[in-house]
Amino acid sequence: MSDEIKSLDDLKDAVEGSEEIVINHEEMPPAREPVRDDLGRSYATGKRKDAVARVWIKPGSGKVTVNGRPLEVYFARPVLRMVLNQAFEVAGVEGEFDVMATVKGGGLSGQAGAVKHGISKALQLYEPSLRAPLKAAGFLTRDARVVERKKYGKRKARRSFQFSKR
């Protein structure tokens, strides 16, 4: 290549004169495949604080059971039910999947967050095209915030004992 390219026209001529450019498709990541078991379900584990939720989703009427009980019974507070349904609303699939979850550890708020995390992960495994909206909403990221441990010489993690001058 003894000719120097000094303008865009020279570059255009050089590209047109060269052989066809071949793109190596092996370098591109493969398209994500749905992950489903023999019964057509997807499984994922969700975590939040000390709670761990095992979640199975399958196409259905939108029935949600947590530890063998209906959603309205297990999570009595409307805020906790709303947290669970956020994943379906963001993905745009409200009422299309049945959810069966078992959850252990933590309190009700942490358990609701763990089930939401598990539902989000299971949805993106069942239908990989739902990954983009769920990831943009931050539902696939495990919330790493946990309770800080109590330190010695303190009443709680950071709270000191009451000071008394006498």
Side-chain angles (χ1 to χ4, degrees):
M1 185 154 179
S2 60
D3 298 337
E4 287 188 28
I5 299 173
K6 295 185 179 179
S7 68
L8 290 175
D9 292 330
D10 293 340
L11 178 63
K12 186 174 162 187
D13 292 337
V15 170
E16 287 176 359
S18 67
E19 293 183 25
E20 191 174 318
I21 299 172
V22 178
I23 298 173
N24 187 358
H25 290 287
E26 293 176 13
E27 293 177 8
M28 295 176 61
R32 292 182 184 267
E33 294 290 324
V35 180
R36 300 176 189 152
D37 64 4
D38 297 336
L39 301 174
R41 304 176 301 181
S42 282
Y43 168 79
T45 304
K47 296 181 180 182
R48 172 78 171 98
K49 293 188 175 180
D50 279 340
V52 179
R54 301 183 309 159
V55 179
W56 291 266
I57 65 164
K58 64 179 180 178
S61 60
K63 187 176 79 166
V64 179
T65 58
V66 180
N67 288 353
R69 301 198 309 227
L71 176 67
E72 294 75 25
V73 174
Y74 195 84
F75 293 117
R77 284 187 275 166
V79 172
L80 299 179
R81 290 197 297 266
M82 181 200 71
V83 165
L84 253 71
N85 291 324
Q86 282 179 338
F88 293 117
E89 292 170 8
V90 167
V93 292
E94 301 100 313
E96 294 181 25
F97 290 96
D98 289 342
V99 177
M100 203 281 284
T102 58
V103 62
K104 292 181 181 177
L108 283 177
S109 177
Q111 288 183 349
V115 173
K116 176 178 103 170
H117 186 224
I119 288 172
S120 301
K121 286 171 66 175
L123 276 173
Q124 70 103 27
L125 286 173
Y126 188 87
E127 186 57 53
S129 64
L130 298 177
R131 180 176 170 81
L134 290 170
K135 186 149 178 76
F139 293 163
L140 297 178
T141 306
R142 195 256 201 244
D143 191 349
R145 295 176 296 169
V146 293
V147 177
E148 189 176 348
R149 77 172 191 88
K150 182 194 176 300
K151 305 338 180 274
Y152 60 87
K154 299 279 187 179
R155 203 173 89 187
K156 292 171 62 177
R158 298 186 181 201
R159 172 87 162 89
S160 298
F161 294 107
Q162 181 172 344
F163 175 75
S164 174
K165 197 168 188 178
R166 297 186 219 292

